[in-house]
Amino acid sequence: MNTFFLPGLIDVHTHLRVPGGEHKEDFRTGTAAALAGGVTMILAMPNTSPPISTLEVLDQARRQAAEDILCDVGIYAGASPEHTAELPALAPKAAALKIYLNDTFGPLRVEDVPTLRACFQTWPRDKMIAMHAEKQSVAVGIGLAATYERPVHFCHISHREEIELIADAKMQGLPITCEVTPHHLFLDEADAARLGNLGDMRPLLGTADDVAALWEHINDTIDCIATDHAPHTLEEKGSDSPPPGVPGLETSLPLLLTAVSENRLTLERLMELMHHNPRRIFDLPEQPDTRVEVEMTPFTIRSADMKSKCGWTPFDSMEAAGKVVRVVLRGKMVYEDGRILAQAGNGRLIA
């Protein structure tokens, strides 16, 4: 098996930095990075500047996306104590609702029960609620899913105690799903020490035991691989107060193909984690005549090759077992041999 085809991959957790952070990523460069990684549909997070917690800002972001995107993009609405009354108006134009219970880059954070109640009572039941929840906050999210009898998706689960708690909740039949990131699967706290600021993200990299726990649950408890693509410039990461976050769109599939080559994961399971489950959980549209051609040829990941505007990766110099050769989106060749062929506007907005 040297060359094979995958469906267009779906990443339900990316930061495209529009509005307010266009110096480190924008809709064009972020979707170019997606295509280079075999990703043809992405959901963009709302912790922008200003945050996407009002209809005015969501409309602004959607107008810009419609002009610039190279692949399909949906945009999250962000939960904010000041703007809970706007949630019903945001919902028809948003892919899902994001609630931040823990530290985040940006102003969105929910720490009060009235806001949580408002979110669960007023956000339409046919749209997902996704949570940034760590450690004991995961228990809060599980409790809300049980209380309101509605699905909750947990973002970037990274520690043994969290994945085991989610496994327990799933055993009880609660309507919860979860994702893990490639950086939490392939890096740990020893890598964080080696990488310095370039290894700083939220959640923090875990212990070797945390990484082992994620792999133990890769075939049952975990529903999706999502990158939490969170680009910052090298200048920002080298500052005295570096923002947390690392890019990931272009390296996710090569890393997971490496796991396939090492028999840690089957190709069928990879497709479930990176296409079938994300589409089902978030009720995302089909992309007819869309495919990703992959070549199982070892190569070295290089920061210099990244399409993301930030221009670096924490996986620089790492060997990977396979790479994206071509991407076809709705019958059009949009990526081939390192070149972005898509034109601005090739992508479609998802709501």
Side-chain angles (χ1 to χ4, degrees):
M1 182 180 65
N2 194 41
T3 302
F4 57 90
F5 293 93
L6 300 173
L9 304 184
I10 300 171
D11 189 342
V12 298
H13 192 147
T14 67
H15 298 267
L16 300 186
R17 305 305 189 202
V18 181
E22 291 87 349
H23 62 285
K24 48 189 149 201
E25 197 77 286
D26 57 40
F27 283 128
R28 195 201 67 77
T29 59
T31 52
L35 291 176
V39 178
T40 57
M41 186 183 297
I42 55 181
L43 302 186
M45 286 295 168
N47 59 335
T48 49
S49 182
I52 302 174
S53 55
T54 67
L55 191 57
E56 179 185 6
V57 180
L58 177 58
D59 282 341
Q60 173 192 345
R62 284 175 59 84
R63 282 193 299 270
Q64 191 64 55
E67 292 181 16
D68 293 347
I69 55 177
L70 308 181
C71 71
D72 295 357
V73 173
I75 301 174
Y76 280 87
S80 166
E82 295 80 20
H83 301 292
T84 53
E86 291 204 47
L87 289 174
L90 287 164
K93 298 181 178 182
L97 176 67
K98 177 67 176 291
I99 302 177
Y100 290 89
L101 295 184
N102 293 88
D103 294 340
T104 178
F105 177 74
L108 291 180
R109 185 164 176 180
V110 175
E111 297 178 291
D112 62 294
V113 171
T115 300
L116 288 171
R117 287 187 70 234
C119 290
F120 275 79
Q121 289 176 333
T122 64
W123 188 253
R125 298 184 75 87
D126 63 339
K127 295 260 178 130
M128 180 58 72
I129 293 177
M131 284 192 165
H132 176 147
E134 299 178 45
K135 302 199 173 176
Q136 65 268 32
S137 294
V138 174
V140 173
I142 291 171
L144 288 164
T147 299
Y148 292 96
E149 296 183 329
R150 59 175 300 162
V152 171
H153 179 77
F154 290 96
C155 300
H156 46 46
I157 292 299
S158 58
H159 294 95
R160 178 178 287 279
E161 63 200 80
E162 298 163 356
I163 197 65
E164 290 182 346
L165 184 59
I166 287 172
D168 292 345
K170 284 190 166 197
M171 288 287 288
Q172 298 302 314
L174 292 176
I176 60 174
T177 53
C178 72
E179 71 192 33
V180 297
T181 72
H183 49 264
H184 290 116
L185 285 170
F186 291 94
L187 301 173
D188 61 24
E189 59 187 7
D191 296 292
R194 170 179 59 83
L195 289 163
N197 291 352
L198 295 186
D200 181 31
M201 73 281 291
R202 299 293 180 273
L204 296 169
L205 291 174
T207 65
D209 182 63
D210 289 322
V211 174
L214 298 183
W215 282 105
E216 288 165 18
H217 287 269
I218 199 76
N219 287 315
D220 43 39
T221 311
I222 293 166
D223 299 282
C224 309
I225 302 291
T227 63
D228 191 9
H229 175 80
H232 300 284
T233 67
L234 284 170
E235 182 180 11
E236 288 169 330
K237 293 297 276 189
S239 68
D240 291 336
S241 54
V246 298
L249 273 166
E250 298 168 73
T251 50
S252 180
L253 181 54
L255 291 168
L256 272 297
L257 289 172
T258 303
V260 170
S261 74
E262 296 169 347
N263 296 317
R264 303 172 78 186
L265 190 69
T266 67
L267 197 57
E268 290 72 22
R269 183 62 179 156
L270 183 153
M271 287 190 280
E272 288 178 1
L273 293 166
M274 302 182 79
H275 174 81
H276 301 303
N277 288 351
R279 182 166 172 258
R280 172 181 55 79
I281 291 165
F282 286 83
D283 193 24
L284 298 171
E286 284 190 69
Q287 293 178 314
D289 199 8
T290 296
R291 60 189 180 278
V292 178
E293 184 178 343
V294 167
E295 195 173 85
M296 292 302 281
T297 302
F299 79 106
T300 304
I301 296 171
R302 298 287 185 199
S303 289
D305 297 330
M306 297 296 110
K307 307 295 184 189
S308 171
K309 190 181 282 191
C310 73
W312 63 275
T313 169
F315 299 104
D316 182 60
S317 300
M318 186 176 287
E319 295 295 317
K323 60 182 177 181
V324 177
V325 180
R326 294 178 190 86
V327 179
V328 173
L329 174 59
R330 284 184 286 272
K332 289 184 180 178
M333 185 78 71
V334 289
Y335 175 85
E336 185 173 30
D337 296 328
R339 294 177 297 125
I340 301 294
L341 305 178
Q343 301 296 313
N346 274 174
R348 295 180 182 175
L349 269 174
I350 300 162

